[in-house]
Every structure is written in structure tokens, then in C-alpha cells.
Amino acid sequence: MFAVFNYDEFPIVKVTLNNLENREDFENFLSEWLRLYDNGEYYSFEFDTKNVGLINPKYSVLMSLFIRELKKRDIQYLTSSRIYVYNKFTKYLLDLIFFIQKPVATVYIHYNDEVITIQP
């Protein structure tokens, strides 16, 4: 499973990302994200990418398109995201996502003892 969602500390939703095996895993991740929007409650994300391996860059493009669609919604329930990054390739994929499409809410990328802030 690519993404494991933990709601124990809601409104903070902790998401552990793993190797992405196929498109179905990616679609399940997006579906779970949309369920959060459908609940109509404000929340923030904490993503842990420690277990992420090499992911096809096409998923960065697909993620950018997903963010673009989210931004069309009347209310943005996502208040912020923290992404903990442990390797250069994952950082590259995130850079690609946010180059194509700015985030819905402020993103804090924790990488190499640095915090990079990306504004919507």
C-alpha cells in the first residue's frame, strides 16, 4: 500500500508513504485525500517519505493535476502540510509537483536540516 493514513491525532493526519507499486495504489491515495475534503472538517497533513523508493515522475504530473482540481473547490479544508524528505530523488519529485502547480495550502518541506516553505 502506497499511503497509510493515521487519524489518531486529527485534525493532524499523518500519512506514511511507501513504494508506489501501481496506478491503483496512487488512485487509492487520492481517493482517501478526497474523503477528507468530503468530511467538511479542517485538517493538516504530515507526510513521512522515509520508505519511498524510486517513483515514476509521471506521478508528479498526476499529483499536480489533482492539486489543480482541488484548488477549484469552494472551501479549502487543508490548512497546511509538512513533508519529511530523506532523499534527493523524492525532493526532486516534490519540486516538480510544485513547479507545475502551487499547493492548496502552505507546505513545509523538511529536508537536510532545512525547512523549505512553499506558499499557495
Side-chain angles (χ1 to χ4, degrees), residues 20-24 26-27 30 54-66 89 92-94 96-97 100:
L20 182 55
E21 302 295 329
N22 54 50
R23 178 75 179 254
E24 182 181 353
F26 182 74
E27 294 296 333
L30 298 183
L54 296 178
I55 294 177
N56 189 321
K58 76 177 181 181
Y59 290 106
S60 291
V61 174
L62 292 172
M63 188 71 220
S64 297
L65 295 173
F66 175 76
F89 188 72
Y92 163 76
L93 294 176
L94 287 170
L96 181 58
I97 290 168
I100 296 170

Side-chain angles (χ1 to χ4, degrees), residues 36-102:
L36 280 162
Y37 264 80
D38 293 341
N39 286 340
E41 295 182 64
Y42 291 94
Y43 66 96
S44 63
F45 275 133
E46 280 189 17
F47 292 98
D48 183 345
T49 67
K50 189 179 295 182
N51 300 323
V52 171
L54 296 178
I55 294 177
N56 189 321
K58 76 177 181 181
Y59 290 106
S60 291
V61 174
L62 292 172
M63 188 71 220
S64 297
L65 295 173
F66 175 76
I67 292 169
R68 180 175 292 147
E69 290 304 310
L70 278 182
K71 290 176 92 171
K72 293 178 182 178
R73 292 181 173 234
D74 292 333
I75 299 174
Q76 297 302 327
Y77 292 106
L78 177 62
T79 58
S80 67
S81 296
R82 292 197 176 277
I83 306 172
Y84 297 91
V85 179
Y86 303 90
N87 68 62
K88 194 182 298 188
F89 188 72
T90 301
K91 174 70 169 62
Y92 163 76
L93 294 176
L94 287 170
D95 289 344
L96 181 58
I97 290 168
F98 297 126
F99 175 77
I100 296 170
Q101 180 64 56
K102 294 291 184 197

